[in-house]
Amino acid sequence: MGVPGPVPGSPGMPDAPVLDREEVDRALARLGAEYEAIETSLLALQDHAGRRLLEGADLSGTTKERWAATERSITVLWSLFDAYTATLEAAREVRARRRWPSPEDLAELTGLLRDDAVTVPGAADGETGRESGPAGRYSLEELVDRMNGLYARSLDVIVAADAVWSALPARIDLLSAELQRTRSLAHSVGVRPGEHPAGDDLERITDELARLRAQVIADPLAFWVSSSTGSSAPGGGRPDTGRYDRAARALEDIRREVAAVLDVRQDAEHRLMQLRDVLSRADRTLTEARQARGEVLAKIAASEVPAVSGPPTALHEQLAAAAEYRRRSLWHRLSPLLDSLEERAEDELHRARESLTAVTAPLAVRAELRGRLDAYRAKLARHGLAADPLLVERYDIARRMLWSAPCDLRAAEHAVWRYQQAAAEALAPQQVEGKGES
């Protein structure tokens, strides 16, 4: 709905000149085109899908208040349009009297087209409920200004409500359908309200979507965000999807949680077998460490041998609980338990291996000393010095210490060192002689 172009002359001024025939014809043509545009806009407003939805809806809140005001605005619009139409028709009738209008006709036409010729009763403004203007006479241009304002406000309400209804309910329905599929799958893997946090979240999202849909249908304008640019175009803004977006993100988190539980169900047996194997290896290693400790205590003297802990009873109990969860299909409980058990079982195996290494360290030291002693004896034999009485004596002393039980490692190590020293002294002249010959 536009505003007609300026009519020649100055409205409201007593000395404004009377329009001539050409000015009258141009004004009538302009006002006729304006009439067509206004009528088309009003009919389109009447047939707007959003208007029909608003008329048939059980509204509440902001939308109920604004739609009641808009209905009053539309009623006022049609009454103003009727007054505009009557005045325009009266001007056309005067112009149709004769081809060349008389001065009296021109004066009458000037009054209809330019002066305050439209009588309008006092009407309530659709937005405020107060009188939109006093009863009186208005020019056609002033009348069009009033209609434009009422039309823009009415169309803004209708377009905004229609935009929200077009955007949110369908998206909520799609999300609700996805929620039902996720809910069915979640229940199949034991993710249920009261048993798993995700099951409680599913119930909460279900209730939230039901409330959100009901509120959107009853009060769409409560979910409309006006344009931040200050645009005056009807429907300038966007639907507020904040609550919907939060529900969609929460459902996506639950879907990932259910998918993780499904993964647990699919490879639960494999993971349980691996856990049993790791704990079995840890048990065997600890058993070996305990046996090795007894051997060390029997064979090695004057050595600190660390104690060996017992089997990981708590882990075995939790492994049994995990197997029970699997048997009862409590996948949501099995998932976190397996994650914890896998980490702790690896730690237990590592601890058992460290315990075995620590316990057998004295035996390793004794084996190293035996190897060193035999290596030096073999070296002396290659140089023909093995029968040297001093070397034989020191070798026998070291060997008796290393092959006796319990073995005093400190004393044995000193004996091996003395044998090495004697061997080095016996080999020194041959090495000097060999260098001299070269």
Side-chain angles (χ1 to χ4, degrees):
M1 295 175 69
V3 178
V7 179
S10 302
M13 296 181 64
D15 57 349
V18 175
L19 300 175
D20 59 27
R21 181 177 66 85
E22 292 181 355
E23 290 173 333
V24 166
D25 289 342
R26 286 197 298 270
L28 284 172
R30 200 163 50 244
L31 291 169
E34 184 68 26
Y35 169 85
E36 296 292 336
I38 294 172
E39 183 180 42
T40 299
S41 298
L42 289 177
L43 292 175
L45 183 68
Q46 194 74 12
D47 293 335
H48 198 288
R51 183 179 186 274
R52 293 197 297 271
L53 289 173
L54 284 164
E55 285 180 335
D58 184 14
L59 302 175
S60 65
T62 301
T63 306
K64 182 177 182 179
E65 296 176 2
R66 293 189 64 185
W67 175 238
T70 300
E71 285 188 307
R72 293 193 296 269
S73 294
I74 293 174
T75 300
V76 172
L77 260 174
W78 280 106
S79 66
L80 295 180
F81 180 69
D82 290 342
Y84 179 90
T85 301
T87 303
L88 181 60
E89 288 298 323
R92 284 173 173 171
E93 290 177 2
V94 174
R95 180 62 186 88
R97 291 173 185 171
R98 52 185 63 84
R99 182 178 179 183
W100 300 97
S102 64
E104 292 78 9
D105 291 341
L106 292 174
E108 186 176 356
L109 285 167
T110 299
L112 290 171
L113 299 177
R114 189 177 63 191
D115 297 337
D116 297 338
V118 185
T119 301
V120 177
D125 185 279
E127 290 292 312
T128 64
R130 299 191 296 271
E131 289 293 316
S132 63
R137 300 175 67 83
Y138 296 86
S139 69
L140 291 176
E141 184 174 350
E142 292 170 339
L143 200 63
V144 170
D145 287 340
R146 292 182 61 191
M147 286 192 289
N148 280 339
L150 290 171
Y151 174 83
R153 291 196 296 271
S154 301
L155 185 60
D156 185 67
V157 170
I158 292 170
V159 169
D162 186 51
V164 172
W165 278 335
S166 298
L168 276 175
R171 295 173 69 182
I172 293 171
D173 290 343
L174 288 174
L175 188 62
S176 296
E178 179 62 29
L179 184 145
Q180 291 305 317
R181 289 191 291 271
T182 303
R183 189 177 185 180
S184 176
L185 183 61
H187 281 203
S188 71
V189 296
V191 179
R192 301 183 180 91
E195 298 181 7
H196 193 283
D200 297 331
D201 291 341
L202 276 173
E203 291 299 305
R204 179 183 57 78
I205 297 173
T206 300
D207 295 340
E208 167 64 5
L209 289 180
R211 288 194 303 270
L212 179 60
R213 193 181 194 285
Q215 291 170 5
V216 166
I217 295 299
D219 191 8
L221 294 183
F223 297 87
W224 182 253
V225 180
S226 298
S227 174
S228 59
T229 61
S231 172
S232 60
R238 60 175 179 80
D240 181 3
T241 61
R243 286 175 60 184
Y244 167 86
D245 294 336
R246 286 191 293 273
R249 288 193 296 269
L251 180 57
E252 181 60 28
D253 291 340
I254 294 174
R255 288 177 61 187
R256 286 195 291 268
E257 177 71 18
V258 172
V261 174
L262 277 172
D263 291 340
V264 171
R265 183 174 71 173
Q266 290 170 359
D267 67 352
E269 184 59 31
H270 176 68
R271 294 176 71 182
L272 283 171
M273 289 179 60
Q274 285 188 321
L275 275 170
R276 292 190 186 100
D277 178 64
V278 171
L279 288 179
S280 177
R281 282 186 284 156
D283 287 345
R284 290 196 302 270
T285 303
L286 286 175
T287 299
E288 185 180 352
R290 284 191 293 273
Q291 293 173 348
R293 186 172 188 273
E295 181 182 354
V296 169
L297 291 175
K299 295 180 178 181
I300 306 298
S303 177
E304 294 295 332
V305 183
V308 180
S309 64
T313 305
L315 289 182
H316 284 284
E317 291 176 352
Q318 291 180 344
L319 181 61
E324 179 66 13
Y325 287 158
R326 180 189 178 280
R327 188 184 66 80
R328 297 169 55 191
S329 299
L330 299 178
W331 312 111
H332 61 290
R333 295 186 179 180
L334 179 59
S335 175
L337 181 56
L338 284 179
D339 292 340
S340 173
L341 277 174
E342 285 169 343
E343 181 177 354
R344 293 174 62 191
E346 289 294 338
D347 290 343
E348 181 64 25
L349 178 58
H350 180 69
R351 184 180 66 82
R353 287 170 174 169
E354 286 184 336
S355 180
L356 177 60
T357 300
V359 164
T360 57
L363 293 178
V365 171
R366 188 184 68 173
E368 191 273 333
L369 290 174
R370 286 177 173 180
R372 196 192 314 169
L373 181 66
D374 288 342
Y376 268 92
R377 185 167 184 266
K379 186 175 181 181
L380 289 170
R382 289 196 304 271
H383 289 81
L385 300 174
D388 182 276
L390 178 62
L391 293 173
V392 171
E393 178 187 0
R394 291 190 178 183
Y395 172 81
D396 289 340
I397 294 173
R399 191 178 190 285
R400 280 196 303 271
M401 288 184 176
L402 287 172
W403 268 267
S404 63
C407 171
D408 187 338
L409 280 181
R410 294 187 179 89
E413 184 176 13
H414 181 69
V416 171
W417 177 79
R418 291 181 67 214
Y419 180 67
Q420 289 179 229
Q421 289 294 103
E425 291 172 0
L427 291 170
Q430 292 190 0
Q431 292 175 349
V432 172
E433 183 179 342
K435 290 181 181 178
E437 292 177 352
S438 63

